[in-house]
Amino acid sequence: MDKLTIQKLVEAQKQYFYTGKTYDVGFRKLQLLALKDAIKNNMNLLNDALYKDLGKSNYESFMCEISLVLEEINYFLMNLSSLARPKRVSASLAQFPAKCRVYRDPYGVVLIMSPWNYPVQLTLCPLVGAIAGGNCAVIKTSEYSPNVSEVLEKIISDTFAKNYVTVIKGGREENTALLECKFDYIFFTGSVAVGKVVMTAAAKNLTPVTLELGGKSPCIVDSTADLELAAKRICWGKFINSGQTCVAPDYVLVHKSVSVLFKKHLVDRISESYRDALNSDNYPHIITERHFDRLVGLMEGVSAFCGGGYDRRTLKIEPTVLEDVNGDSKVMQEEIFGPLLPVLEYDDINDVVDFIRQRSKPLALYLFSRDKQTIGYITRNVQFGGGCVNDSVIHLATTHMPFGGVGDSGMGGYHGKDSFNTFTRQKSVLIKGRRLDNSLRYPPFTQSKFNTLKKFFK
Ligand code: NAD
């Protein structure tokens, strides 16, 4: 789509927003219901597209993509009326007599840019928040998941008028044209590098942003951990979607006293859950040859304790545990975003904290431990977007907690109430009584008025 068409589309959405239709909470709920129906009616198309783009099984697609969107919609169908209601707050004594109200105002026309790894969930969950907040939305999907983009475009165009919600597919040209438009809000999910491009472009228009980015999420296994359970839950979080998950455990830091046993459990778990992964229909492939080659390159110079096999024809890489890795290894210099799990040993938990602090603030952190002191110490003293104790990844699968990063892993958060807060702003309005009027604020400013005024602010 060319620049002029994109600009006209954004302008048309602005005009639609100013009709005021999206302010109506009943209207928003009807749109959410329509979206829910459309998702259910197109479930097969979505599943097929996710299989074509990523090799995701229907099971994984439902568990990690579609169910999350349905839950988000259901949350808003239940809670939107109370969330959207203006809140009464007290007026201060100096404002007497007055009533104060805080309204939740939609931003207007929002741009949602989504990545390819969970292309349904990471496009539609923000959209649900945008609709619930009373906004219009332009959605930009990733060029690397073209089949899903096609189905999303169909679902959105069948369900919504173009000047309310629309999908723009494409690559560089569309991305650049979009970022030149003046949106009222930008919600971006993707890499740190592109996040910086988006924020730079947004700054030119003073457009507020949410950035949901990536990075290396550490996973700590201490000497008190239930090692078998840790191995099971780390493998699940790491190898789901073949490791192409923003919050996947990127690497493990295991206490050296339990390292051998922990790695044995990892191997057992991999052979139980991911047998013959390269030929399994339940094991997704790497998105493109370029991403595949990068991952194969990351294995150079380190030994695979388990796995390490790959098939360029199908773009699949076995669940792989890497050892002999240290902080300087190539695989520790960038977000892995694939099924390679480096395991590093530590001796002292303080060294773990230093190790993490020396790197970018992670999107997620996981700690496997039975020791309350260690749990308290790590959760309080390390900065990370969010995480789990004795599990991985699942902290994001709820409408009750915000999901988001910190520092290089992003800014802002969403899901449930936090999506609503993200896609609306607080508008404070004071309704002043007309009868009483405090003369203190009006000139002339005499000494006696000043003395009285000061008494209010002791
Ligand atoms: P990406 O940054 O390459 O692309 C994301 C989106 O930005 C796509 O729609 C793409 O078309 C667009 N884009 C690409 N280059 C652009 C440019 N120069 N200007 C404007 N837009 C551009 O990310 P990706 O490869 O699709 O996704 C992988 C990354 O996303 C990983 O780093 C991962 O950790 C991160 N991620 C984060 C989350 C999260 O919720 N925090 C979720 C999924 C993925």
Side-chain angles (χ1 to χ4, degrees):
M1 196 181 279
D2 63 74
K3 191 172 161 180
L4 192 63
T5 315
I6 289 176
Q7 283 171 344
K8 280 188 179 159
L9 217 139
V10 176
E11 197 43 48
Q13 288 213 349
K14 287 198 172 164
Q15 294 309 319
Y16 186 77
F17 178 72
Y18 287 129
T19 64
K21 284 194 179 127
T22 66
Y23 274 81
D24 181 57
V25 172
F27 170 88
R28 299 182 204 175
K29 282 190 186 171
L30 280 179
Q31 309 313 310
L32 291 174
L33 273 172
L35 181 61
K36 185 175 170 181
D37 284 346
I39 292 168
K40 287 187 162 179
N41 294 337
N42 288 284
M43 197 85 90
N44 291 341
L45 284 182
L46 284 170
N47 282 334
D48 289 350
L50 283 163
Y51 187 76
K52 280 185 196 146
D53 285 337
L54 285 141
K56 280 192 202 195
S57 65
N58 291 359
Y59 196 107
E60 195 172 318
S61 293
F62 189 79
M63 179 171 65
C64 300
E65 299 243 28
I66 293 164
S67 67
L68 273 75
V69 184
L70 294 177
E71 195 184 339
E72 196 76 8
I73 295 177
N74 290 338
Y75 170 84
F76 280 112
L77 292 174
M78 290 272 292
N79 297 290
L80 184 55
S81 300
S82 76
L83 287 169
R85 203 168 291 136
K87 304 282 176 287
R88 288 165 180 243
V89 295
S90 309
S92 75
L93 192 58
Q95 294 163 334
F96 181 82
K99 293 178 197 162
C100 288
R101 302 276 184 277
V102 180
Y103 293 83
R104 298 280 351 180
D105 226 18
Y107 277 95
V109 179
V110 304
L111 171 63
I112 295 170
M113 303 183 95
S114 58
W116 50 263
N117 61 331
Y118 289 86
V120 175
Q121 191 240 114
L122 295 174
T123 305
L124 295 183
C125 283
L127 176 65
V128 170
I131 291 176
N135 302 280
C136 298
V138 174
I139 296 166
K140 168 60 188 49
T141 54
S142 169
E143 59 276 39
Y144 293 122
S145 43
N147 292 291
V148 172
S149 294
E150 201 74 42
V151 180
L152 288 177
E153 186 186 41
K154 175 189 156 27
I155 289 177
I156 298 299
S157 62
D158 286 353
T159 313
F160 303 116
K162 230 185 186 165
N163 53 2
Y164 174 46
V165 181
T166 195
V167 171
I168 294 182
K169 297 179 297 182
R172 186 177 289 266
E173 192 191 344
E174 287 76 7
N175 288 330
T176 310
L178 280 165
L179 290 181
E180 281 173 13
C181 295
K182 189 170 166 62
F183 283 95
D184 299 301
Y185 200 93
I186 299 179
F187 188 102
F188 172 81
T189 308
S191 60
V192 176
V194 179
K196 289 179 183 174
V197 172
V198 170
M199 194 164 171
T200 305
K204 290 193 182 133
N205 290 315
L206 291 179
T207 302
V209 291
T210 291
L211 300 177
E212 299 283 344
L213 310 178
K216 290 181 88 62
S217 298
C219 184
I220 307 162
V221 180
D222 82 358
S223 57
T224 69
D226 178 335
L227 298 178
E228 192 177 350
L229 189 72
K232 183 175 163 189
R233 293 181 178 172
I234 291 169
C235 282
W236 179 81
K238 180 69 186 185
F239 301 123
I240 197 125
N241 203 22
S242 278
Q244 300 168 109
T245 303
C246 56
V247 286
D250 189 89
Y251 59 94
V252 174
L253 292 160
V254 59
H255 192 268
K256 67 178 186 184
S257 64
V258 294
S259 166
V260 171
L261 189 54
F262 171 67
K263 282 191 275 188
K264 181 193 168 302
H265 285 303
L266 281 180
V267 174
D268 290 348
R269 174 46 54 179
I270 288 170
S271 53
E272 188 179 328
S273 289
Y274 305 93
R275 187 169 301 133
D276 199 18
L278 294 185
N279 297 308
S280 168
D281 249 2
N282 286 323
Y283 186 67
H285 61 74
I286 304 306
I287 189 78
T288 67
E289 277 184 17
R290 183 170 64 80
H291 294 79
F292 176 90
D293 290 340
R294 182 186 65 82
L295 285 164
V296 171
L298 290 182
M299 287 194 270
E300 279 164 20
V302 283
S303 31
F305 184 75
C306 157
Y310 48 85
D311 183 345
R312 200 159 202 286
R313 208 174 28 90
T314 57
L315 296 183
K316 290 194 183 192
I317 299 177
E318 279 179 341
T320 297
V321 178
L322 300 171
E323 57 175 1
D324 301 329
V325 178
N326 60 45
D328 296 327
S329 306
K330 195 173 164 196
V331 73
M332 290 301 292
Q333 307 312 311
E334 59 188 79
E335 179 183 8
I336 296 174
F337 221 53
L340 315 177
L341 183 65
V343 177
L344 293 81
E345 292 179 4
Y346 75 88
D347 194 12
D348 183 337
I349 196 73
N350 292 305
D351 296 340
V352 168
V353 173
D354 287 345
F355 188 89
I356 298 168
R357 283 182 181 161
Q358 280 156 14
R359 289 161 173 76
S360 298
K361 292 172 189 168
L363 180 59
L365 180 142
Y366 307 111
L367 169 63
F368 289 82
S369 173
R370 287 187 175 105
D371 180 37
K372 281 191 181 148
Q373 240 183 325
T374 306
I375 296 170
Y377 177 63
I378 294 293
T379 35
R380 270 196 301 274
N381 288 291
V382 182
Q383 289 178 297
F384 54 93
C388 305
V389 173
N390 293 321
D391 213 329
S392 73
V393 174
I394 58 164
H395 62 292
L396 66 79
T398 171
T399 51
H400 301 292
M401 293 202 290
F403 171 65
V406 53
D408 280 3
S409 58
M411 60 184 70
Y414 74 126
H415 288 176
K417 176 168 67 98
D418 294 282
S419 276
F420 187 76
N421 290 344
T422 287
F423 284 104
T424 56
R425 60 169 298 279
Q426 301 192 70
K427 186 162 80 180
S428 303
V429 177
L430 180 144
I431 303 140
K432 182 78 176 167
R434 278 175 293 126
R435 296 232 170 100
L436 280 176
D437 208 2
N438 190 340
S439 64
L440 286 181
R441 78 187 219 209
Y442 298 108
F445 298 136
T446 62
Q447 188 58 45
S448 88
K449 278 168 137 185
F450 195 24
N451 293 341
T452 315
L453 181 67
K454 281 194 281 188
K455 286 188 186 147
F456 279 102
F457 301 97
K458 269 188 186 156

